[in-house]
Amino acid sequence: MTTGFGQSIRATVLICAAAAIGSLSVYLANGAPLFYFDTVGYLSQGHSMLDAVADAVFPASASGPELSQPAPTPPSPPDRSVDASRSAVYALALSSLDAVAGLDIAVFINLGLIWLALLLVARRIGSPSVLPALRLSSLALLAACLGALPFYVAYLMPDILAPVMILMLALIFTYFPQMSRGEFLASGVLVLAAVVAHPSHLLIAAAMLPVGLLASPVMARRRLWISVGLIGLLVGVGVAEKFLFAAAVGYFEKKEARYLPFMTARLIVDGPGMTYLASHCPDPELATCALYDELSGGEDTAKLDAPSILFSTSEETGSYKRLSDQHQLEISHEQPEFVLNVVRAAPFAVIGALARNTAVQLSYFRIDMTVPDAGLLAKLDDENGSATASLRNGRLVTNPHRWMAPLARLHAALYGVSVLAIVWILLKARRQRTNLWIFTGLVAAGIVANALVCGGVSEPAYRYGARVMFLFPTLAAVLSFGGSSGWKD
């Protein structure tokens, strides 16, 4: 018996070590965390918030040597607003890690988050005992490592929390009565962390809630209060984060929080929004006409691209960012009314565009957007200065296109085989374990919700697809071995 227990511990240690190494493989191969251009935005925003709080709590002394100060320069017109589209919570977390321990520690936190989520899943689908749950969760990690997971473990962006949230919502809706208080608390905290880490996560959760409440038989007797409680908690926390950030911006920086008009840009690029503006502009009561004037001037079709509309400042492709701060504020404030008016004017065109973008997003799984171009860091350094000080290029930025195409083919085959394996396992288990059907269906619903939100509201992009596609081999591994005695004893 002792020998068997010792062998069990050794097997657990070995598979945990293999899972850790596999998950960190991209970070180790690169020699540095991966980053995106928006990573600098989070760092800049977070450090600005920390500095504002520090200045408010510890104001600089007014008795310093004034002669040493440089002569004042003529002030430029101040911006009245601060971009609030990014999560203030994630910006603070990333900048705090940068200040205290260095950005590399974020890679290990990413790994801890996804591992904890899989451990909670393994305790329900497999065994609640520590060693079997560790082995099953490690095996699931190893399967995910064959897909895109290692790239998102190494990624200094909140994307890793999207699959974590999907797994946890599926777990809660499927196994709520069987979960211990500790399991429910841990899974709930992970969901809330995801909701406040990125605006898209709140929308994905909102899309999953009605599916979970309808599909889960264990919620039948508690559907009313559970639905009210979950919706209230998730929406409340998500709205509270935005409200507190807006209040902090107003108090510390005396500015107004502004949200980028993602849906306005999406409707314009898809056509219905542009058609609406063409038929209503010029109109002094319609602030978005200022954006239409920028987009309709010239013949450069590159302007009619959502990222260009929202972020470009160049004369060739820029539009929204080239407007005055006042105009940008007015367009952002007008977005809800503009979206409703476009939907009323062309509902079928909007629905068709949404379905098309969702389908395109579901076909995207490549990891290309997680690996920065070799020149991105230098460009970000020129534009942002000290905000890039902790970022560094790694080995993978050198000629990444040599290995990205073959890797994409391998991932396509892996995800296809995983889906077939999942279907086969579920067909075999349909009479014995209906919970597996519910859990898998909810994870699949989360993947579709991710495509709907990211592809339909923002723009179809590889980054959004790859962050959830590795859930297919993960599920295949959990379903294959969750009921095996070797992973339960």
Side-chain angles (χ1 to χ4, degrees):
M1 184 172 179
T2 304
T3 303
F5 182 70
Q7 290 175 344
S8 178
I9 292 179
R10 285 194 295 271
T12 303
V13 170
L14 286 174
I15 195 169
C16 286
I21 293 171
S23 300
L24 296 171
S25 59
V26 168
Y27 168 69
L28 297 173
N30 191 47
L34 300 173
F35 60 89
Y36 190 52
F37 76 87
D38 222 21
T39 303
V40 177
Y42 282 113
L43 288 170
S44 178
Q45 177 179 327
H47 284 302
S48 295
M49 293 168 67
L50 291 175
D51 291 342
V53 173
D55 290 342
V57 176
F58 305 106
S61 173
S63 60
E66 296 182 1
L67 293 178
S68 64
Q69 302 298 320
T73 57
S76 58
D79 288 341
R80 295 176 50 223
S81 62
V82 172
D83 182 12
S85 300
R86 301 183 187 94
S87 164
V89 173
Y90 187 79
L92 275 174
L94 193 63
S95 58
S96 298
L97 288 176
D98 182 29
V100 174
L103 289 176
D104 290 54
I105 196 67
V107 175
F108 297 90
I109 293 176
N110 287 344
L111 174 56
L113 291 171
I114 188 66
W115 207 333
L116 174 58
L118 289 173
L119 183 62
L120 292 169
V121 170
R123 284 174 58 86
R124 290 297 111 214
I125 294 181
S127 168
S129 300
V130 175
L131 292 182
L134 272 175
R135 290 196 295 271
L136 183 56
S137 62
S138 300
L139 184 68
L141 266 183
L142 281 172
C145 289
L146 299 175
L149 174 66
F151 291 89
Y152 286 89
V153 167
Y155 205 28
L156 298 179
M157 290 289 288
D159 294 80
I160 192 67
L161 282 164
V164 167
M165 182 186 69
I166 290 171
L167 287 171
M168 293 300 92
L169 285 175
L171 183 71
I172 291 171
F173 280 121
T174 308
Y175 294 99
F176 175 72
Q178 291 84 36
M179 294 174 70
S180 66
R181 290 183 180 178
E183 290 172 337
F184 183 73
L185 178 62
S187 58
V189 168
L190 288 174
V191 171
L192 293 178
V195 164
V196 299
H198 197 270
S200 69
H201 299 167
L202 176 58
L203 296 177
I204 293 168
M208 286 187 68
L209 282 175
V211 178
L213 292 166
L214 291 173
S216 177
V218 301
M219 297 293 183
R221 298 177 184 176
R222 309 174 178 87
R223 189 164 291 156
L224 179 60
W225 71 265
I226 286 289
S227 61
V228 172
L230 281 175
I231 292 171
L233 182 62
L234 294 179
V235 174
V237 169
V239 171
E241 186 264 335
K242 299 301 180 186
F243 176 80
L244 291 175
F245 177 70
V249 166
Y251 179 79
F252 291 111
E253 300 190 39
K254 312 303 180 193
K255 295 182 180 180
E256 184 177 352
R258 180 187 75 236
Y259 296 91
L260 289 176
F262 284 97
M263 296 184 70
T264 296
R266 185 73 258 150
L267 287 171
I268 289 173
V269 172
D270 288 337
M274 197 67 170
T275 301
Y276 180 87
L277 290 173
S279 63
H280 287 77
C281 295
D283 182 351
E285 299 298 320
L286 186 58
T288 312
C289 282
L291 180 59
Y292 175 73
D293 292 340
E294 288 285 334
L295 293 170
S296 58
E299 299 181 355
D300 194 340
T301 57
K303 279 191 171 185
L304 288 175
D305 174 69
S308 295
I309 291 173
L310 295 171
F311 302 110
S312 177
T313 58
S314 73
E315 185 176 353
E316 293 77 17
T317 61
S319 53
Y320 176 77
K321 287 290 187 180
R322 293 179 60 81
L323 297 172
S324 68
D325 193 60
Q326 178 63 30
H327 272 130
Q328 292 181 37
L329 267 174
E330 291 173 354
I331 292 170
S332 296
H333 290 163
E334 190 178 71
Q335 177 172 240
E337 181 183 356
F338 177 76
V339 171
L340 287 175
N341 287 336
V342 173
V343 171
R344 290 193 193 103
F348 295 110
V350 173
I351 293 171
L354 182 63
R356 182 173 62 253
N357 291 331
T358 301
V360 171
Q361 183 62 73
L362 283 171
S363 70
Y364 283 177
F365 59 88
R366 294 175 60 122
I367 51 81
D368 300 38
M369 293 178 70
T370 63
V371 181
D373 293 330
L376 178 61
L377 185 58
K379 180 181 178 182
L380 292 174
D381 187 56
D382 290 339
E383 296 174 352
N384 300 276
S386 60
T388 64
S390 299
L391 300 176
R392 61 190 191 275
N393 278 330
R395 292 181 285 269
L396 294 181
V397 304
T398 305
N399 297 322
H401 299 292
R402 292 185 304 175
W403 50 267
M404 279 185 175
L407 183 63
R409 288 192 290 270
L410 289 174
H411 282 175
L414 171 70
Y415 298 149
V417 170
S418 298
V419 170
L420 294 176
I422 290 169
V423 172
W424 174 250
I425 294 165
L426 291 177
L427 289 175
K428 289 175 58 180
R430 62 182 177 180
R431 294 182 180 178
Q432 292 82 15
R433 305 186 68 184
T434 56
N435 281 347
L436 297 183
W437 277 86
I438 297 170
F439 179 79
T440 304
L442 289 173
V443 172
I447 293 173
V448 174
N450 176 78
L452 176 68
V453 169
C454 296
V457 176
S458 180
E459 183 182 49
Y462 288 136
R463 168 192 156 204
Y464 298 134
R467 72 181 187 178
V468 296
M469 286 300 177
F470 65 78
L471 289 176
F472 286 124
T474 304
L475 266 178
V478 170
L479 297 179
S480 295
F481 295 95
S484 302
S485 60
W487 307 94
K488 294 173 74 72
D489 299 332

